[in-house]
């Protein structure tokens, strides 16, 4: 019994253990050795990632509030891996940080919140997980204590998110009011198609949409990405988003199955809106982090496109895409973070002539961007195409056509960066930057992921298998 | 209209009135006090609903905790009695329109929704029941959220400390 | 014969380029890789003949299937017929020549040759694929190397051109993708599995209304790659900004990917729709032919001249496809091969001239025949091939298209054919203008007199391409025999559909 | 208690919610924004409690939801205030209009 | 089998010369020096083989036969088109091709020989011989073609070798321009040819001459019915096909209005003019019509009439212009055009079989003309070699300096003027006779033209050899023996070939016609020719201002003729103004601004739009919240009230 719980909650327990170790470490010594802390955390995160292979069983615990199965284990491992990469690529920033342990505690708490959210089968746990993944992150966003932008970003994040969670809560309360239950499994049957439930659905949808930056609930994204410290930005853009999407697909297909007709419309509309608005804004960005933020908004649009498809295919495509997206985006953010930390340069134009001085980083950034853009042979190509293929499976050709054509626009801005890196002349390019061992390893891992995930078909097939099963 | 109802409407009017004052007064300190009144009014509503436990939490956490925190922060960032700048017209109009529209929209939905007949069952909201549920791992237990929230509070606390702590001089450079 | 060689050899050469050091080593690796590839391509031709003699009925030869994404019905299914072999030979020739003319690449040579190899990988992969998703994959694999090649090593407004090219090709890809999804979802499901497999889709057939809706997407999408009017504007800018080898690749191979796709995917899979849309295809390609030719006449930059003429010449490919007769389709493929070789030769000659004189403007060149007779002769020969002189490949392919086109007794089709024929006169005008004032005439710049003629690698490149052109020109039956069975299969599909 | 009263309670909470929302949308001081959010959360709490008591007395999910919302609101408020104080240090103002450096 | 090899060798030897000299000519010193010898030797062998083949055909094989038939020596399927039609490479021996073989190879040999001296010391000597080889190969291939598409292939090759040879002096802009013009104008004509081929081939379901002729002359065959019922713009498919094919022929043969390239083509080395633009390539059009003559004559009289009218008009038109030109090569060029006009209308007025006197006469004239016209050109070459100018005013009194040239030139002039017993007399008589019988109108014009011919030829002759005294002194005499020998040989030929009973061997149906010289009939043409010569004697024998006075009195007519009736200007107007300015420039402009502009515009619009909506991202958290709330309300309203 106890071992069952241990195995079921292995990820959560692992993260909690790390948090407590760090807490005690902080209590024991006020000026801990940052490198050591990082080594420990990274090691344990690696362990947590590998936990996936440790008896990924199926269970339902704690008053049916906590469910686990292969899929959730998989998702948690993916998130652990993401956290590991974030932590590794931000090596330089973290090393200098005076409050490293606190920072880790916040990030890990946020991760823990995501785990709870992923495993939630109950609106209460979902809500707690959601808040738990956001509130510490808002604090972490402010960790560049001296930067004006950092606190502005944190402020925008916490206020926007509290506003959004108030609306989300209102939606939850209406659902509770109409159904009398918070359990996903019950809601599936209890939820009837009435105006009030549709409204509640929209409210909840908006809550999700806020977290994954769907237009028009996306407006905080770029500002927060720009202002936050790079690890937080990377975390937000990849992990928060992935975690919420994991739950989102689940909620949409499971809880709101009866409202399918309604939410499909919303999803289609917002998918188109996100793609277009994300693209249009990304076109004109100068700051590379803002640029990545808007491009991420467009990417989410494509995820929503996939959501229109048949449940299994859609979820498989989305999870597959997120896995690729994690590697691609972290590769891009990793390089941006390294450069930003070493030189303070964040403008796209600063990257002129980057290839002359930093070949490795240039290629990593380029491959990351290619993958985001969906260019073969990177995995992003497969990810994006499978998303759209899934979207087309229910015959939404108009949307598919529009989304495909928007790919061209997105291509423009990704290539713009590539062009700056490889083609533009510059007398004073960014000087040669030594990334360090951890970041290099992490970036190579990203590249490996980007290359292998697409070309190696069984990766996708495995996800399909898991999804089909649950 | 019986006494219960009259009391309800009074409390409702009180909550809304103080709420409106809280979001419209120009003095920030007064606003916090109006908020305090409004929250107390909500506690009163809980009392009216025979939910003493919730009412108590409302008073302890909100009135005793959050509002005090807010007042502290006001002191840290403002001089008492400062007039706040008036809201921008460009913001007020759409905001008012959106809020009113949303209000009408929601109320319309609520009025037209059939919630079914009220249950005749007596609602047992004793502190004992809640206590047992809070720490129960089995059916009807809430121990997991309880633990999760405690982790959240821990994290929030640590975050607050780091952010709000005065930065030492040499770090500032 | 294992077709995977066509994936692995370029891949290994690319990796070899990455691990070698110094220009000499890098270019030798690239050259050896591409030369082996050429030999293997000829070996494939040989093996194909052998296999064909053993079993003349198979639709595809050397087929291999590997599961890739089985749940989506995506396979790595490869196989060839005569048409693809012809295209692969073309690719092999152009790649060798492209590597040879780039021997003196100074900046970032490693990257340069790496990208060239990647580009050839894309082309080979595209031609051997029998799964339309895989085809699409390889089609796109080839896009980014082009962008980088133009943008990094190009000249003039290279970045703008690179961007334009990449975006328009991506636009084409986007259309293709929409078409692919349509094909995918509207092909009847067998045994609960959808498929991207070319042959099985062809076997299952696509319902008419789906064909009508999705054919334009596929055709226009591939058409963008092959400079279908009005989606051709990437061609002039892209070709003229690209470094020599990239121009050769672009015009020689890359544009052919589109033509091949139009034929193999769009027309083959949706024959009924092809018949419905044939007038449109013909109209657009006729416009491309005439309009491209006239636009060429006004150009002053040699590369622009060749680029616009490529628009015009590739119009013939689409015209041949649009006419939907066996002869015209065979002619279209011949024209692809022929134009590929010819235009590569042309670009090679222009590149050699440019690298010496540092100008490509017709008005500034002149009298080069005196100082660099070899290069100038190559230029003239390429020009003569372009204007369809007998003895070179251009003639036979154009004639085949015309004869094929004329077999369609529709009066409007005939008028289109006549107009297209008329373009060969215009071609003569611009080719002779270009040749007349750049290599003939008086030497306009005194420093030209001190310039040297081609060196061995350049000569070898020219000879490689030229031999292809001449062999096809003198013995076209070799090519038609190769293409004929493939054309028959496509025609079979077309005629079945008429019933 | 009649369902009408439930509806009345809901109307009360909804009104309060949108009063809070209006406050959030219009006030210029960051702290008042936070106060407006508290009003909104409270109104949701009323909803939960009312639904639980009048419609689903067999369970106590609603009550617990309220409890946790309250707790989380506290955490949120704490973090928000810390952030606002930090912001005040760098900006010397907590006017919303002054904290809009990053845009477009 | 031996026959095949012989016939194959005839064109192959020049081709071999081309390949050898073209590829290795510049790299090997031996080849560079010996190019002329090699080329000439190979050509000589080829010529001997041609003579042997022809004599075999006409005399040995045909003994005892009543009619000469076409004889396909070999045939190889070269390119198969889907529906059973194919381009075959073959060699067809019949009277006209055998005759042409002799003409082409003999004249070519003469030119090879002549060039040994004429082109000596040229930098690109070997290239020159390579090109000559290429041309000869193509021309021989054209002559031997058994397939209408094959003829088109060699037709194009001939065109390109002509281009290369005219542009031989590539650093001379006028030469390059002339080469371009020649190529493009003939290319334009070939467009018609090609479409004609396509039409005939499509309906005739074959490209083979024999099959095609057989099917299209059999009025019951399905192919004939199909092609004569198909019509476009009210004209039958057959007429279209034949006229378009004739258009190709007219282009190569410089018939009005496609003649403009021929005078300019004189920019090439003079021996080249002698070979290509006098004797061989320019008569390809006549040859082509002759090839398809049965179809013209038996199935489509209308097309044949067009041939006749264009022929006679060109003959007259060119003769008039020739009277006014001062560049001796241009005079010769216009005279060539005029003479080809004769050949054409002779075909045009001819009937088939026993009515086919015109056909034989035309080819007879082709035959004789080849000799004396190339003689004229070579002579002109020798003169130009001496005086280094093409203009009449730089010449005069050369008869003493270059006696052999003078004598041969005179023979040629007499021949072309139609004075008996020179070769031209017989052929021209035959033509006039045929015209007189079938088409009196044409006959009278032709008569007048023959007077003009005599006039301008002797105008030329006197201006060169008489008129004023020579101020030249011969540096290298008349030139080497290699230059003189061809003149002598051709002179002898120009005298003798007229006596061949030509129509006996060459006739429209192969059956042979009896030649009869009607002395009475000859009176008129000969006396008119003498009249023309007299006029020339009167005007040009001695230096005088009579020519100017005459020119003055003719006024506008003279100016127009002198300016070649402004045909060049009309062409220039059409190409420059209409094609370049009205089509080319707009096309380039549209491409840059409209088509490409559309893409640029869409990019700009996108960027502008992006700029316009940037305000959404105002940086203010409350504004974000309003959008948030607004989004929710909009979606819910949409779901509940709009998209119910």
């Amino acid at each position: 019994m106890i071992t069952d719980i241990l195995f079921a909650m292995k990820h959560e327990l692992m993260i909690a253990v790390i948090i407590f170790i760090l807490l005690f470490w902080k209590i024991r010594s006020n000026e801990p050795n940052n490198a050591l802390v990082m080594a420990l955390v990274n090691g344990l995160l690696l362990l947590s990632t590998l936990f996936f292979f440790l008896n990924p069983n199926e269970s339902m615990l704690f008053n049916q509030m906590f469910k686990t199965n292969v899929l959730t284990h998989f998702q948690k491992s993916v998130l652990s891996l993401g956290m590991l990469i974030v932590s590794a690529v931000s090596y330089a920033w973290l090393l200098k940080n005076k409050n490293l342990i606190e920072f880790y505690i916040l990030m890990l708490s946020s991760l823990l919140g995501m785990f709870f959210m992923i495993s939630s089968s109950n609106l209460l746990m979902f809500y707690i997980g959601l808040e738990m993944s956001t509130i510490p992150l808002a604090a972490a966003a402010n960790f560049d204590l001296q930067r004006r932008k950092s606190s502005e970003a944190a402020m925008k994040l916490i206020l926007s998110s509290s506003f959004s969670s108030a609306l989300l809560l209102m939606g939850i309360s209406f659902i509770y009011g109409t159904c009398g239950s918070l359990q996903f499994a019950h809601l599936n049957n209890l939820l009837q198609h009435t105006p009030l439930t549709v409204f509640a659905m929209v409210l909840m949808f908006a809550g999700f949409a806020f977290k994954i930056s769907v237009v028009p609930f996306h407006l905080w994204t770029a500002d927060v990405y720009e202002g936050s410290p790079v690890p937080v930005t990377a975390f937000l853009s990849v992990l928060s988003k992935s975690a919420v999407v994991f739950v989102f697909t689940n909620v949409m297909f499971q809880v709101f199955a009866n409202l399918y007709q309604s939410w499909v419309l919303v999803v289609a509309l917002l998918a188109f809106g996100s793609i277009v608005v994300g693209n249009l804004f990304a076109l004109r960005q100068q700051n590379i982090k803002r640029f990545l933020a808007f491009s991420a908004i467009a990417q989410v649009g494509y995820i929503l496109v996939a959501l229109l498809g048949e449940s299994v295919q859609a979820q498989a495509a989305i999870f597959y895409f997120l896995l690729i997206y994690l590697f691609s985006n972290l590769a891009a953010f990793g390089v941006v973070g390294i450069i930003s930390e070493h030189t303070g340069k964040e403008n796209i134009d600063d990257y002129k002539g980057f290839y002359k001085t930093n070949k490795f980083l240039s290629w990593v950034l380029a491959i990351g961007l290619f993958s985001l853009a969906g260019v073969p042979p990177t995995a992003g190509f497969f990810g994006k195409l499978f998303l759209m293929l899934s979207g087309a499976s229910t015959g939404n050709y108009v949307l598919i056509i529009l989304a495909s054509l928007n790919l061209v626009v997105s291509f423009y801005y990704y290539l713009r960066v590539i062009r700056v890196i490889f083609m533009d002349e510059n007398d004073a390019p960014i000087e040669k930057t030594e990334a360090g061992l951890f970041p290099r390893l992490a970036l190579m891992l990203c590249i490996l992921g980007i290359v292998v995930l697409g070309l190696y078909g069984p990766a996708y097939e495995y996800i399909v298998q898991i999804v089909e099963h649950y | 209209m019986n006494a219960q109802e009259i009391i309800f409407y009074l409390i409702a009017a009180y909550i809304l009135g103080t709420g409106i004052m809280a979001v419209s007064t120009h003095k920030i300190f007064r606003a916090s006090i109006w908020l305090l009144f409004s929250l107390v009014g909500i506690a009163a509503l809980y009392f009216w609903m025979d939910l003493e436990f919730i009412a108590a939490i409302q008073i302890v956490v909100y009135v005793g905790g959050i509002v005090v925190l807010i007042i502290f922060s006001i002191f840290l960032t403002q001089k008492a009695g400062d007039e706040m700048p008036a809201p921008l017209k460009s913001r007020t109009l759409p905001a008012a329109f959106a809020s009113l529209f949303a209000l009408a929209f929601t109320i319309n939905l609520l009025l037209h929704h059939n919630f079914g007949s009220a249950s005749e069952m007596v609602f047992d909201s004793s502190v004992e029941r809640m206590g047992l549920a809070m720490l129960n791992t089995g059916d009807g237990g809430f121990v997991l959220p309880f633990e999760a929230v405690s982790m959240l509070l821990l994290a929030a606390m640590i975050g607050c400390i780091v952010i709000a702590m005065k930065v030492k001089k040499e770090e500032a450079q | 014969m294992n077709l995977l060689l066509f994936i692995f050899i370029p891949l290994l050469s690319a990796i070899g380029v990455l691990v070698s050091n110094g220009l000499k080593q890098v270019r030798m690796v690239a050259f050896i890789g591409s030369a082996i590839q050429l030999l293997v391509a000829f070996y494939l031709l040989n093996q194909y003949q052998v296999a064909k003699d053993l079993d003349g009925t198979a639709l595809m030869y050397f087929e291999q299937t590997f599961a890739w994404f089985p749940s989506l019905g995506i396979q790595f299914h490869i196989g060839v017929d005569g048409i693809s072999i012809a295209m692969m030979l073309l690719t092999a020739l152009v790649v060798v020549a492209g590597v040879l003319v780039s021997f003196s690449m100074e900046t970032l040579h490693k990257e340069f040759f790496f990208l060239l190899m990647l580009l050839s990988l894309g082309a080979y992969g595209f031609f051997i694929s029998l799964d339309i998703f895989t085809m699409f994959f390889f089609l796109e694999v080839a896009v980014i190397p082009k962008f980088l090649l133009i943008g990094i090593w190009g000249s003039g407004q290279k970045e703008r051109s690179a961007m334009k090219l990449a975006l328009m090709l991506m636009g084409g890809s986007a259309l293709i993708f929409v078409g692919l999804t349509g094909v995918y979802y509207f092909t009847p499901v067998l045994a609960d599995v959808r498929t991207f497999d070319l042959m099985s889709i062809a076997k299952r057939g696509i319902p008419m209304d789906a064909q009508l809706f999705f054919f334009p997407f596929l055709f226009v999408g591939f058409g963008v790659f092959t400079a279908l009017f009005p989606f051709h504007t990437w061609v002039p800018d892209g070709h003229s900004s690209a470094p020599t080898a990239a121009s050769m690749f672009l015009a020689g191979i890359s544009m052919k990917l589109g033509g091949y796709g139009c034929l193999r995917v769009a027309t083959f899979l949706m024959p009924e729709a092809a018949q419905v849309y044939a007038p449109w295809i013909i109209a657009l390609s006729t416009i491309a032919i005439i309009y491209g030719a006239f636009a060429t006449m006004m150009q002053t930059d040699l590369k622009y001249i060749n680029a616009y003429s490529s628009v015009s010449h590739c119009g013939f490919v689409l015209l041949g496809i649009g006419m939907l007769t066996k002869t015209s389709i065979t002619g279209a493929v011949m024209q692809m091969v022929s134009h590929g070789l010819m235009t590569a030769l042309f670009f090679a000659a222009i590149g050699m001239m440019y690298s010496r004189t540092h100008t490509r403007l017709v008005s500034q060149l002149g009298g080069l025949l005196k100082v660099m007779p070899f290069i100038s002769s190559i230029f003239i020969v390429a020009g003569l091939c372009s204007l369809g002189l007998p003895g070179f490949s251009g003639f036979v392919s154009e004639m085949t298209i015309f004869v094929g086109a004329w077999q369609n007794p529709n009066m409007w089709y005939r008028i289109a054919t006549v107009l297209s024929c008329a373009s060969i006169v215009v071609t003569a005008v611009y080719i002779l203008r270009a040749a007349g004032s750049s290599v003939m005439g008086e030497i306009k710049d005194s420093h030209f007199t001190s310039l040297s003629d081609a060196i061995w690698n350049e000569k070898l490149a020219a000879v490689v391409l030229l031999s292809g052109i001449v062999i096809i020109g003198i013995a076209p039956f070799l090519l038609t025999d190769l293409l004929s069975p493939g054309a028959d299969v496509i025609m079979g599909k077309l005629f079945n559909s008429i019933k | 208690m009649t369902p009408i009263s439930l509806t009345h309670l809901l109307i009360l909470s909804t009104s309060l919610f949108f009063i809070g929302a209006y406050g959030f949308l219009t006030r210029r001081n960051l702290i008042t924004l936070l106060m407006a959010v508290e009003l909104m959360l409270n109104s949701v709490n009323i909803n939960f409690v009312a639904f639980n008591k009048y419609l689903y007395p067999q369970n106590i999910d609603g009550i617990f939801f309220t409890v946790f919302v309250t707790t989380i609101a506290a955490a949120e408020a704490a973090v928000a205030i810390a952030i606002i104080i930090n912001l005040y240090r760098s900006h010397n103002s907590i006017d919303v209009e002054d904290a809009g450096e990053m845009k477009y | 089998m031996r026959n095949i090899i012989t016939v194959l060798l005839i064109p192959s030897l020049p081709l071999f010369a081309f390949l050898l000299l073209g590829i290795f000519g510049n790299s090997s010193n031996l080849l560079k020096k010996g190019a002329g010898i090699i080329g000439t030797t190979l050509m000589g062998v080829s010529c001997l083989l041609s003579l042997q083949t022809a004599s075999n055909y006409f005399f040995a094989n045909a003994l005892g036969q009543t009619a000469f038939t076409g004889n396909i020596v070999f045939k190889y399927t070269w390119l198969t088109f889907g529906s059973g039609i194919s381009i075959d490479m073959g060699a067809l021996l019949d009277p006209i091709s055998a005759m042409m073989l002799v003409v082409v190879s003999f004249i070519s040999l003469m030119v090879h020989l002549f060039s040994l001296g004429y082109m000596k010391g040229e930098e690109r000597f070997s290239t020159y011989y390579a090109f000559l080889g290429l041309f000869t190969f193509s021309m021989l291939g054209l002559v031997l073609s058994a397939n209408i598409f094959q003829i088109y292939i060699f037709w194009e090759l001939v065109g390109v070798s002509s281009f290369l040879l005219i542009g031989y002096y590539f650093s001379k802009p006028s030469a390059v321009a002339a080469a371009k013009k020649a190529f493009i104008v003939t290319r334009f004509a070939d467009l018609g040819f090609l479409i004609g081929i396509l039409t005939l081939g499509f309906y005739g379901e074959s490209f083979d001459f024999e099959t095609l002729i057989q099917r299209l002359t059999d009025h019951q065959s399905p192919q004939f019915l199909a092609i004569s019922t198909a019509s476009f713009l009210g004209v039958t498919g057959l007429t279209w096909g034949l006229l378009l094919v004739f258009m190709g022929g007219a282009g190569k043969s410089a018939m009005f209005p496609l003649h403009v390239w021929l005078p300019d083509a004189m920019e090439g080395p003079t021996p080249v003019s002698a070979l290509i633009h006098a004797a061989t390539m320019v008569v390809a059009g006549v040859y082509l019509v002759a090839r398809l003559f049965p179809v013209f004559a038996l199935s489509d009289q209308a097309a044949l009439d067009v041939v006749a009218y264009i022929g006679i008009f060109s003959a007259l038109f060119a003769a008039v212009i020739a009277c006014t030109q001062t560049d001796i090569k241009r005079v010769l060029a216009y005279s060539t055009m005029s003479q080809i006009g004769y050949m054409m209308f002779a075909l045009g007025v001819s009937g088939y079989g026993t009515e086919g006197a015109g056909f034989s006469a035309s080819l007879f004239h082709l035959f004789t003309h080849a000799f004396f016209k190339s003689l004229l050109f070579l002579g002109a070459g020798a003169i130009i070699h001496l005086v280094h100018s093409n203009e009449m005013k730089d010449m005069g009194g050369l008869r003493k300096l270059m006696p052999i040239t003078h004598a041969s030139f005179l023979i040629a002039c007499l021949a072309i003027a139609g004075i008996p017993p020179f070769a031209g007399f017989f052929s021209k008589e035959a033509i006039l006779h045929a015209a007189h019988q079938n088409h009196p109108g044409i006959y009278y014009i032709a008569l007048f033209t023959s007077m003009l011919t005599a006039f301008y030829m002797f105008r030329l002759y006197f201006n060169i050899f008489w008129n004023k005294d020579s101020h030249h002194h011969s540096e290298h005499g008349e030139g080497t023996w290699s230059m003189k020998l061809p003149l002598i040989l051709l002179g002898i030929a120009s005298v003798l070939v007229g006596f061949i009973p030509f129509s006996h061997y060459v006739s429209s149906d192969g059956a042979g016609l009896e030649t009869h010289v009607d002395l009475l009939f000859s009176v008129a043409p000969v006396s008119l020719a003498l009249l023309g010569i007299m006029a020339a004697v009167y005007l040009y024998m001695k230096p005088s201002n009579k020519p100017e006075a005459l020119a003055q009195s003719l006024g506008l007519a003279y100016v127009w003729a002198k300016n070649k009736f402004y045909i060049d200007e009309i062409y220039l107007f059409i190409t420059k103004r209409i094609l370049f300015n009205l089509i080319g420039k707009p096309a380039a402009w549209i491409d840059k601004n409209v088509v490409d502009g559309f893409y640029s515009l869409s990019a700009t619009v996108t960027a502008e739009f992006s700029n316009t909506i940037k305000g959404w991202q105002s940086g203010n958290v409350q504004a974000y919240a309003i959008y948030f709330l607004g989004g929710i309300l909009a979606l819910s309203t949409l779901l509940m009230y709009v998209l119910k």
Side-chain angles (χ1 to χ4, degrees), chain C residues 35-91:
Chain C
I36 292 175
Q37 192 68 75
L38 181 63
L39 293 179
V40 172
F42 276 107
Y43 181 68
L44 170 68
L45 178 64
N46 174 29
Q47 289 298 300
Y48 169 77
Q49 305 285 15
V50 172
K52 186 123 191 94
D53 289 343
L54 283 177
D55 172 20
T57 56
L59 298 182
M60 291 288 162
Y61 291 86
F62 313 121
E63 280 187 79
Q64 272 174 294
T65 310
F66 305 91
W68 198 0
F69 297 98
S71 64
L72 290 173
I74 295 171
Q75 302 169 324
F76 189 66
H77 181 191
I78 52 179
V80 288
D81 68 350
I83 295 179
S84 19
I85 290 177
M87 304 311 290
M88 285 155 75
L89 281 171
L90 164 71
T91 310

Side-chain angles (χ1 to χ4, degrees), chain E residues 149-335:
Chain E
F149 228 117
Q150 186 188 359
I151 221 173
Y152 180 74
I153 289 168
F154 286 106
W155 194 266
E156 291 294 314
L157 284 176
V158 166
V160 80
S161 28
S162 157
F163 166 80
L164 292 170
L165 283 166
I166 298 171
Y168 176 73
Y169 296 117
F170 65 82
S171 43
K172 220 165 90 188
S174 61
V176 175
K180 270 162 38 183
K181 190 171 176 184
F183 193 83
I184 290 164
V185 173
T186 51
R187 194 93 221 248
F188 175 67
D190 295 349
L191 168 65
F193 188 13
L194 175 62
I195 296 168
I197 293 174
L198 291 177
T199 310
L200 294 180
F202 174 74
Y203 290 106
E205 290 168 21
S206 171
F207 289 131
D208 250 19
F209 277 125
E210 288 203 319
T211 326
L212 207 53
I213 289 170
Q214 186 254 320
R215 284 178 183 165
L216 294 183
T217 49
D218 175 1
H219 292 210
Q220 257 65 52
S221 70
Q223 287 86 1
F224 179 81
L225 294 176
I227 196 170
S228 42
T229 44
S231 84
F232 178 63
L233 300 178
V235 179
T236 67
L238 182 60
T239 312
W240 272 112
L242 290 174
L243 282 181
L244 286 167
V245 169
F246 173 65
M247 179 179 167
K252 272 273 178 310
S253 289
M255 290 291 96
F256 180 87
L258 296 169
H259 65 280
V260 287
W261 62 274
L262 184 61
D264 290 13
M266 297 301 136
E267 289 289 345
T270 308
V272 166
S273 310
L275 176 59
I276 300 181
H277 307 120
T280 55
M281 185 185 87
V282 286
V283 297
V286 180
Y287 179 75
L288 182 64
V289 176
R291 254 280 155 258
L292 287 171
F293 188 72
V295 185
F296 276 97
L298 295 175
S299 300
D300 200 352
Q301 190 56 43
L304 201 57
D305 286 344
V306 173
V307 174
Y309 295 136
I310 294 214
I312 186 63
F313 182 78
S314 303
L316 176 64
F317 176 82
V320 171
I321 295 175
C323 294
T324 61
Q325 298 302 304
T326 56
D327 179 321
I328 61 169
K329 283 182 75 180
R330 280 177 186 263
V331 174
L332 290 177
Y334 279 109
S335 112

Side-chain angles (χ1 to χ4, degrees), chain C residues 16-32 98-114 116 153 455-457:
Chain C
V17 164
L18 279 188
V19 298
S20 47
N21 281 315
L23 175 59
K24 279 206 171 134
Q25 230 179 67
V26 165
R27 72 190 189 191
M28 268 343 270
V29 170
F31 174 63
I32 291 169
V99 169
L100 279 170
V101 298
S102 316
F103 261 26
S104 52
M105 177 54 61
E106 272 157 19
T107 47
L108 300 176
H109 42 263
K110 197 183 265 191
E111 288 84 346
F112 182 83
F113 285 104
F114 175 73
L116 280 190
W153 293 275
I455 48 174
W456 72 270
N457 55 312

Side-chain angles (χ1 to χ4, degrees), chain B residues 42 54 56 78 90 97 108-109 121 141 154 159 161 167 169-170:
Chain B
I42 291 166
I54 301 297
Q78 307 270 299
S90 59
F97 174 74
N108 180 35
L109 286 179
M121 215 173 118
L154 174 70
I161 292 169
V167 186
K169 278 264 164 63
E170 67 271 4

